[in-house]
């Protein structure tokens, strides 16, 4: 069992994680085509890209073909693939960048950084992305709905988040917008440790690349697997490890509970040990919506 001090260190490391981004304006939206200077920033892994839209709109305003277009008409792509705005940056990078996940003693310099993204203000891909709104309500609602779903899985109902005071609910969202750890942590702990009640299920989603038969570009398409995962291993009083959870959810990819043979689980850019307890991961390195978003990378 991981100690509370170790869990806090992991949480701190996740919050401090960031990625260097190089964001260029799409040529079809730019008065000088592809000659505009890029916007460079170190952005938190846990944060959401739409929060950058106002500052990016200001940065590129003098170059926009349609200068009075709303900042929230903007959307991001990587190698022509639209990026889902409700996915945190770190998850998007782990799923789409093609970078190798870090392992113990690995050199980060091997990864392709900065991550080069394209910002568009036209041609919204309506078949892949839900439109945003100027007031940010769509993004807010998507986040809160995800938090409610995580709360339901943890506690068997969403009553804990529904019982938050109006001020706490407002501060939760504002802390996500401002990337304010202290405020966020204060409120999230009320949800995670609700009246000392034991965890019922672990909110976890597994992201898999699609098979070649399903797509012309398998590395750019995903399956999301979500099945009930309990803190204790089935038919046992032993704490559930990530390896045992993956074996139950995806036995063909994870035939062993202890050793990654065909694939590796990746969280926050690092390979996660199969022996890690899912309850410890939830308490220390869950994303801001309360979920463990675990990417799967094939071996070889």
């Amino acid at each position: 069992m991981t100690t509370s001090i170790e869990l806090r260190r992991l949480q701190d490391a996740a919050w401090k994680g960031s990625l260097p981004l190089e964001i260029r304006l799409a040529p079809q939206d730019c008065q000088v085509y592809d000659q505009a200077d890029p916007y460079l920033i170190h952005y938190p892994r846990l944060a959401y890209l739409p929060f950058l839209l106002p500052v990016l709109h200001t940065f590129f305003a003098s170059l926009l073909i349609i200068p009075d277009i709303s900042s929230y008409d903007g959307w991001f792509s990587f190698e022509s693939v639209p990026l889902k705005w409700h996915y945190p940056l770190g998850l998007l990078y782990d799923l789409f960048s093609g970078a190798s996940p870090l392992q113990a003693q690995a050199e980060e310099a091997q990864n392709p950084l900065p991550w080069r993204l394209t910002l568009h203000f036209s041609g919204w891909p309506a078949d892949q992305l839900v439109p945003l709104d100027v007031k940010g309500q769509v993004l807010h609602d998507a986040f809160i709905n995800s938090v409610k779903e995580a709360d339901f899985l943890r506690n068997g109902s969403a009553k804990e988040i529904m019982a938050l005071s109006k001020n706490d609910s407002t501060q939760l969202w504002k802390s996500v917008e401002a990337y304010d750890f202290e405020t966020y942590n204060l409120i999230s702990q009320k949800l995670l440790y609700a009246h000392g009640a034991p965890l019922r299920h672990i909110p976890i989603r597994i992201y898999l690349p699609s098979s070649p038969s399903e797509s012309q570009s398998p590395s750019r398409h995903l399956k999301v697997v979500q099945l009930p995962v309990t803190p204790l291993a089935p038919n046992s009083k032993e704490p559930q490890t990530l390896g045992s959870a993956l074996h139950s959810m995806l036995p063909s990819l994870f035939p062993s509970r202890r050793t990654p043979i065909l694939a590796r689980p990746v969280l926050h850019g690092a390979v996660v040990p199969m022996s890690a307890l899912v309850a410890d991961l939830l308490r220390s390195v869950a994303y801001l919506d309360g979920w463990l978003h675990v990417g799967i990378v094939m071996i070889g």
Side-chain angles (χ1 to χ4, degrees):
M1 185 70 69
T2 309
T3 68
S4 59
I5 294 177
E6 291 171 324
L7 291 178
R8 182 56 186 259
R9 286 175 180 167
L10 287 172
Q11 186 182 38
D12 287 344
W15 268 85
K16 292 175 181 176
S18 65
L19 290 167
L21 302 179
E22 179 184 298
I23 302 173
R24 291 187 175 274
L25 185 61
Q28 61 268 32
D29 296 314
C30 183
Q31 295 179 19
V32 294
Y33 196 62
D34 61 355
Q35 299 302 307
D37 291 334
Y39 184 85
L40 306 176
I41 188 174
H42 255 278
Y43 199 60
R45 269 183 155 270
L46 298 179
Y48 296 88
L49 284 173
F51 293 143
L52 281 175
L53 287 173
V55 69
L56 288 171
H57 183 273
T58 300
F59 181 80
F60 290 116
S62 64
L63 299 170
L64 287 171
I65 291 177
I66 307 176
D68 57 348
I69 196 167
S70 167
S71 62
Y72 286 96
D73 284 323
W75 56 281
F76 299 88
S77 70
F78 173 67
E79 295 184 352
S80 300
V81 179
L83 298 179
K84 295 183 182 298
W85 50 256
H86 61 289
Y87 283 10
L89 172 65
L91 177 61
L92 289 169
Y93 180 79
D94 293 345
L95 296 177
F96 292 110
S97 71
S100 300
L102 298 181
Q103 301 193 54
Q105 310 303 319
E107 291 293 334
E108 190 167 2
Q110 296 176 354
N111 287 330
L113 293 172
W115 198 25
R116 295 177 173 88
L117 304 181
T118 302
L119 173 65
H120 306 257
F121 283 100
S122 63
W124 185 280
D127 59 331
Q128 299 182 61
L129 301 178
V130 175
L132 295 169
D133 64 302
V134 174
K135 294 182 178 180
Q137 194 63 42
V138 173
L139 181 58
H140 167 273
D141 290 350
F143 175 80
I144 294 299
N145 287 338
S146 189
V147 172
K148 288 179 179 178
E149 190 176 356
D151 191 39
F152 183 88
L153 287 171
R154 287 193 305 266
N155 302 307
S157 75
K159 65 181 181 181
E160 298 303 331
I161 186 166
M162 300 300 290
L164 283 180
S165 68
K166 183 178 181 180
N167 181 64
D168 277 352
S169 296
T170 300
Q171 290 304 309
L172 177 64
W173 177 241
K174 287 185 177 297
S175 69
V176 173
E177 286 185 300
Y179 208 67
D180 176 357
F181 172 76
E182 296 302 329
T183 301
Y184 172 85
N185 196 48
L186 183 66
I187 299 170
S188 68
Q189 294 302 299
K190 297 179 181 180
L191 301 175
L192 190 56
Y193 298 99
H195 308 297
L199 289 172
R200 293 196 179 189
H201 292 92
I202 305 295
I204 183 171
R205 289 186 176 127
I206 309 299
Y207 297 80
L208 298 167
S210 68
S211 65
S213 62
E214 294 171 338
S215 167
Q216 293 295 319
S217 179
S219 64
R220 293 295 180 261
H221 293 73
L222 300 168
K223 282 185 177 180
V224 182
V225 179
Q226 180 182 327
L227 294 171
V229 173
T230 54
L232 300 180
N235 305 315
S236 170
K237 293 183 178 180
E238 293 295 318
Q240 175 129 248
T241 64
L242 181 60
S244 63
L246 290 172
H247 175 75
S248 297
M249 299 172 76
L250 300 164
S252 60
L253 275 181
F254 294 93
S256 170
R257 294 174 174 84
R258 296 179 177 83
T259 305
I261 298 172
L262 302 174
R264 296 187 181 97
V266 175
L267 188 59
H268 302 302
V271 174
V272 186
M274 299 282 275
S275 59
L277 303 183
V278 288
D280 285 347
L281 292 173
L282 180 67
R283 293 188 176 100
S284 58
V285 292
Y287 280 87
L288 301 186
D289 60 358
W291 286 82
L292 292 173
H293 297 289
V294 180
I296 300 301
V297 175
M298 303 304 296
I299 294 177

